[in-house]
Amino acid sequence: MKKYSERSREELLVLKKELDQQYADVKALGLKLDMSRGKPGTDQLDLSMGMMDVLHGNADLRCETGVDCRNYGVIDGIPEAKRLLAAMSEVDPENIIIYGNSSLNVMFDSISRSMTHGVMGHTPWCKLDKVKFLCPVPGYDRHFKITEFFGIEMINIPMTPTGPDMDMVEALVSEDEAIKGIWCVPKYSNPQGITYSDETVRRFARLKPAAPDFRIYWDNAYCIHHLYKDNHDFLLEILGECEKAGNPDMVYKFASTSKISFPGSGIASLAASKANLEDFRKFMNIQTIGHDKLNQLRHVRYFKDLDGLHAHMKKQGQMILPKFELVEDTLERELGGLEIGEWTKPHGGYFISFESMEGCAKKIVAKAKEAGVIMTGAGATFPYGIDPKDSNIRIAPTYPTLEELGKAAEIFVLCVKLVSVEKLLETK
Amino acid sequence: MKKYSERSREELLVLKKELDQQYADVKALGLKLDMSRGKPGTDQLDLSMGMMDVLHGNADLRCETGVDCRNYGVIDGIPEAKRLLAAMSEVDPENIIIYGNSSLNVMFDSISRSMTHGVMGHTPWCKLDKVKFLCPVPGYDRHFKITEFFGIEMINIPMTPTGPDMDMVEALVSEDEAIKGIWCVPKYSNPQGITYSDETVRRFARLKPAAPDFRIYWDNAYCIHHLYKDNHDFLLEILGECEKAGNPDMVYKFASTSKISFPGSGIASLAASKANLEDFRKFMNIQTIGHDKLNQLRHVRYFKDLDGLHAHMKKQGQMILPKFELVEDTLERELGGLEIGEWTKPHGGYFISFESMEGCAKKIVAKAKEAGVIMTGAGATFPYGIDPKDSNIRIAPTYPTLEELGKAAEIFVLCVKLVSVEKLLETK
């Protein structure tokens, strides 16, 4: 295929006419498709239905220490749930707390607690003139919304194929005491599906932050969420690396079963140094009477151990891999060689990240919407919703059926072509 | 029985000798009993076991609007759960939000949000020099712990048989803009079991606070938790009263099923004006991906409606009434007429409140502990853990078996007698 940029004005005009016609035809179908949300498909949820039966009306609902999980008590997680999520998080069970149904909620509370009470005895952030966070971009919109909500200034850090630009991270963190944290999705990152290299993880662990209360917010949301392609990614364990580097307290590591069992009805965890966990427990003891221990028990009895989790995730991976392949194949077939967009081919996680020509993302998303395909809002993957190049689009292939996804992907590439041609015509 | 205060020094010395012997005998038994915690008994929990079966592996897990409760979405509660908890809270379903497993957590978050973001656009409390809360005493220790945690100054308000001293509440609230809230357990109050009178509720609704962001924290924890004695208490609905009085936004009304289904695995709710709920939703949308909808569905399918809740609570009331009666009978039989203590005889809730002679509560609780009976710490029912008269002791009869409770109550009255005699001997 001839690159769009090398085509003459006349060629582009002919192409635009064709594309306009195709777009009009598609629009006339009145489709309603959704590629916007990182939601498991119904088939993935069906896989966990056995979980509904493990705690039945005649079951013994005591945990292994004999505590009745139906009653009050055990604020930081039953031992078997700690063991399960510690294995998943690759940490010691002593370094983990089990929370409720939302790791995002734990992250929010961590920021909120830091605002009102400070981190491990340091000045509460609400008493400081300025608090800043580093935000690898593109990234997860809900992270950025939390820091925005608390008036924390966000600084974009470009992502590279091996993780955030560590030269920039090191320089900023070491010189600016107002920088209190960085948002990371280190494995199968949202939205690019990038896994941080060993070197990146080690450089994180060796950071020398100016702020003693600087923390790495390590959201390991997709830790075992492989697509089971030929190979999958490996991520170095950060808690151990931080300890080795003499920075044991520098990281909060979050995880949950939201995209393993049921979104909204999973269990979440935080892994960190014992000193950090003490800080969290002081807060928890005031905040709540404890989390849902029956749901913890339900998860442990259903999945049993890390092998059980992996076996389950393999089935899920096999369900969604064809969806990723369908989108990747469509992109390659329709856009390959045209140089009007690039995209990622992740080994796991929930997203494909698409980079359009500069200044085209918003228009592409708007065009797709007009034709009945909902995409994540352009800009959502950047702090304040502002993508400086207006080029990143997040594609979420898991929720639609294969058939729906096929149609949606076709419409998407059509919109990419159309907006790109229009863009090129502006300057030809 | 002759009042202790009218006995001679010699009579008291003889009595003390007897009591000392009884105490030594009891101590020698090495008992381990617990009357400290407002926890349901195992028999009460067994009553809800059917709930474990309603969402089985073949069940349709969609809520009435067709949303798959297993997946993301529906942040503020599925409609049928709103209807159930609205009926329990005596409000319109449009005035309620369904939360996770802990209403205490909702209260904590309400204070935390007010600290960092303010109430409905007003100045965040963390930017103010001083924030104060009114605390009817004795009251619920976990409420006081929250306000203490946030550095909020707490002002004691004496409880009367009809609720907090409203003359004092009205005067303070109308003159001091730093007063931002009051903690209330309006029905079967913790620990006294007092239900606010209609007049008290109306005076609350008609408050003219100096602070526009003043809110009544109405923790209706025991709304349907009657003991099913001859009669039970009625509480006027506060949201409606506030609206009638032209103060629609002045109250947050909390409830949960923690002591209906399973503590720690129930569902919680907040009822308030639509303007307040909007304020809460803005926060929730950032804080979480939503609460556990499957647990909401489980509750609705099991209890069905308000009648179902009442029928269930009647069975629980019948289980715990004998426990309350046992404690009340023991107190009456052993302490009646001695004038060394007074106690409440609630129609519902989880506690009996005991007033010892001044300066005796800490010693009584310590004595009981030495003899193997754990009571709630003396002072816990007051802000900062300081009971100015050192006289209030909270008795929680629900968790022990009847047999254990009988022993514990006997030891308790023995300790009351012993400490009272010692106290009187100091001045005779």
Side-chain angles (χ1 to χ4, degrees), chain A residues 208-347:
Chain A
K208 304 254 169 290
D213 51 351
F214 172 86
R215 293 290 181 274
I216 303 163
Y217 284 65
W218 198 256
D219 181 2
N220 207 3
Y222 306 107
C223 50
I224 58 168
H225 302 56
H226 314 299
L227 281 172
Y228 290 88
K229 292 186 171 177
D230 300 342
N231 55 358
H232 57 74
D233 296 355
F234 293 91
L235 175 70
L236 213 54
E237 199 290 299
I238 182 96
L239 246 75
E241 292 301 315
C242 281
E243 205 175 307
K244 272 192 250 172
N247 282 324
D249 300 330
M250 201 169 59
V251 62
Y252 299 152
K253 187 174 179 179
F254 306 92
S256 84
T257 67
S258 292
K259 292 196 182 79
I260 297 174
S261 57
F262 298 123
S265 302
I267 56 177
S269 66
L270 169 88
S273 70
K274 286 182 192 170
N276 275 318
L277 293 191
E278 269 321 297
D279 208 32
F280 274 78
R281 282 199 194 93
K282 271 185 225 158
F283 182 83
M284 274 178 89
N285 280 322
I286 306 293
Q287 186 185 27
T288 177
I289 44 84
H291 298 291
D292 186 339
K293 293 185 295 299
L294 289 177
N295 206 31
Q296 294 175 23
L297 198 63
R298 186 177 286 122
H299 277 73
V300 178
R301 295 219 177 141
Y302 185 64
F303 291 116
K304 293 188 176 65
D305 54 24
L306 186 58
D307 286 342
L309 287 170
H310 280 309
H312 183 83
M313 291 312 286
K314 185 167 186 177
K315 288 183 203 160
Q316 291 211 27
Q318 287 165 341
M319 280 176 170
I320 59 178
L321 176 58
K323 295 183 176 178
F324 276 78
E325 287 175 340
L326 175 61
V327 173
E328 287 166 16
D329 291 351
T330 307
L331 291 167
E332 185 56 44
R333 188 183 68 240
E334 295 295 325
L335 303 181
L338 299 182
E339 291 195 358
I340 56 173
E342 293 178 351
W343 55 94
T344 57
K345 293 169 187 163
H347 293 145

Side-chain angles (χ1 to χ4, degrees), chain B residues 199-216:
Chain B
E199 179 57 18
T200 296
V201 176
R202 288 201 184 96
R203 287 176 75 177
F204 262 112
R206 286 189 218 115
L207 283 175
K208 304 254 169 289
D213 51 352
F214 172 85
R215 294 291 182 272
I216 303 164

Side-chain angles (χ1 to χ4, degrees), chain A residues 40 46 49 52-53 55 57 70-72 101 105 112 117 142 149 259 263-265 285 287-288 290 292 298, chain B residues 40 46 49 52-53 55 57 70-72 101 105 112 117 142 149 259 263-265 285 287-288 290 292 298:
Chain A
D46 287 344
M49 281 306 279
M52 291 287 99
D53 291 325
L55 300 193
R70 302 172 302 175
N71 220 328
Y72 291 117
N101 73 321
N105 201 153
S112 185
H117 288 80
R142 308 275 317 226
F149 188 67
K259 292 196 182 79
S265 302
N285 280 322
Q287 186 185 27
T288 177
D292 186 339
R298 186 177 286 122
Chain B
D46 287 344
M49 281 306 281
M52 290 288 99
D53 292 324
L55 299 194
R70 303 173 302 176
N71 220 328
Y72 291 117
N101 72 321
N105 201 154
S112 185
H117 290 80
R142 308 274 319 224
F149 187 68
K259 291 193 183 81
S265 303
N285 280 322
Q287 187 184 27
T288 178
D292 186 340
R298 186 177 285 122

Side-chain angles (χ1 to χ4, degrees), chain A residues 88-392:
Chain A
M88 187 175 94
S89 297
E90 303 175 280
V91 301
D92 191 285
E94 291 193 354
N95 287 108
I96 209 161
I97 289 176
I98 310 299
Y99 284 86
N101 73 321
S102 162
S103 59
L104 190 78
N105 201 153
V106 187
M107 295 175 221
F108 180 98
D109 284 359
S110 305
I111 302 279
S112 185
R113 180 179 50 75
S114 304
M115 292 299 291
T116 56
H117 288 80
V119 175
M120 279 174 57
H122 293 284
T123 309
W125 297 352
C126 71
K127 304 287 182 202
L128 302 176
D129 288 336
K130 185 66 116 180
V131 176
K132 303 177 189 170
F133 251 63
L134 304 185
C135 300
V137 291
Y140 179 31
D141 55 343
R142 308 275 317 226
H143 286 163
F144 305 151
K145 289 272 185 208
I146 292 175
T147 25
E148 184 177 0
F149 188 67
F150 284 99
I152 293 170
E153 184 182 317
M154 293 179 278
I155 300 169
N156 291 0
I157 304 287
M159 280 291 283
T160 78
T162 57
D165 179 335
M166 289 309 292
D167 292 341
M168 198 171 161
V169 170
E170 285 167 351
L172 286 167
V173 159
S174 64
E175 75 200 11
D176 189 350
E177 212 189 341
I179 297 175
K180 301 298 188 187
I182 180 167
W183 288 119
C184 296
V185 182
K187 195 164 182 180
Y188 304 134
S189 69
N190 179 349
Q192 293 167 303
I194 289 170
T195 297
Y196 295 7
S197 70
D198 291 0
E199 180 57 19
T200 297
V201 176
R202 290 202 182 98
R203 287 176 76 177
F204 263 112
R206 286 188 217 121
L207 284 176
K208 304 254 169 290
D213 51 351
F214 172 86
R215 293 290 181 274
I216 303 163
Y217 284 65
W218 198 256
D219 181 2
N220 207 3
Y222 306 107
C223 50
I224 58 168
H225 302 56
H226 314 299
L227 281 172
Y228 290 88
K229 292 186 171 177
D230 300 342
N231 55 358
H232 57 74
D233 296 355
F234 293 91
L235 175 70
L236 213 54
E237 199 290 299
I238 182 96
L239 246 75
E241 292 301 315
C242 281
E243 205 175 307
K244 272 192 250 172
N247 282 324
D249 300 330
M250 201 169 59
V251 62
Y252 299 152
K253 187 174 179 179
F254 306 92
S256 84
T257 67
S258 292
K259 292 196 182 79
I260 297 174
S261 57
F262 298 123
S265 302
I267 56 177
S269 66
L270 169 88
S273 70
K274 286 182 192 170
N276 275 318
L277 293 191
E278 269 321 297
D279 208 32
F280 274 78
R281 282 199 194 93
K282 271 185 225 158
F283 182 83
M284 274 178 89
N285 280 322
I286 306 293
Q287 186 185 27
T288 177
I289 44 84
H291 298 291
D292 186 339
K293 293 185 295 299
L294 289 177
N295 206 31
Q296 294 175 23
L297 198 63
R298 186 177 286 122
H299 277 73
V300 178
R301 295 219 177 141
Y302 185 64
F303 291 116
K304 293 188 176 65
D305 54 24
L306 186 58
D307 286 342
L309 287 170
H310 280 309
H312 183 83
M313 291 312 286
K314 185 167 186 177
K315 288 183 203 160
Q316 291 211 27
Q318 287 165 341
M319 280 176 170
I320 59 178
L321 176 58
K323 295 183 176 178
F324 276 78
E325 287 175 340
L326 175 61
V327 173
E328 287 166 16
D329 291 351
T330 307
L331 291 167
E332 185 56 44
R333 188 183 68 240
E334 295 295 325
L335 303 181
L338 299 182
E339 291 195 358
I340 56 173
E342 293 178 351
W343 55 94
T344 57
K345 293 169 187 163
H347 293 145
Y350 262 64
F351 304 104
I352 290 167
S353 181
F354 184 85
E355 287 290 321
S356 71
M357 292 168 64
E358 279 195 39
C360 290
K362 272 188 200 300
K363 286 182 190 153
I364 292 168
V365 170
K367 273 263 178 242
K369 188 176 178 188
E370 214 185 310
V373 178
I374 307 295
M375 312 286 302
T376 307
T381 51
F382 284 76
Y384 312 107
I386 300 168
D387 174 358
K389 293 185 180 169
D390 184 25
S391 62
N392 185 252

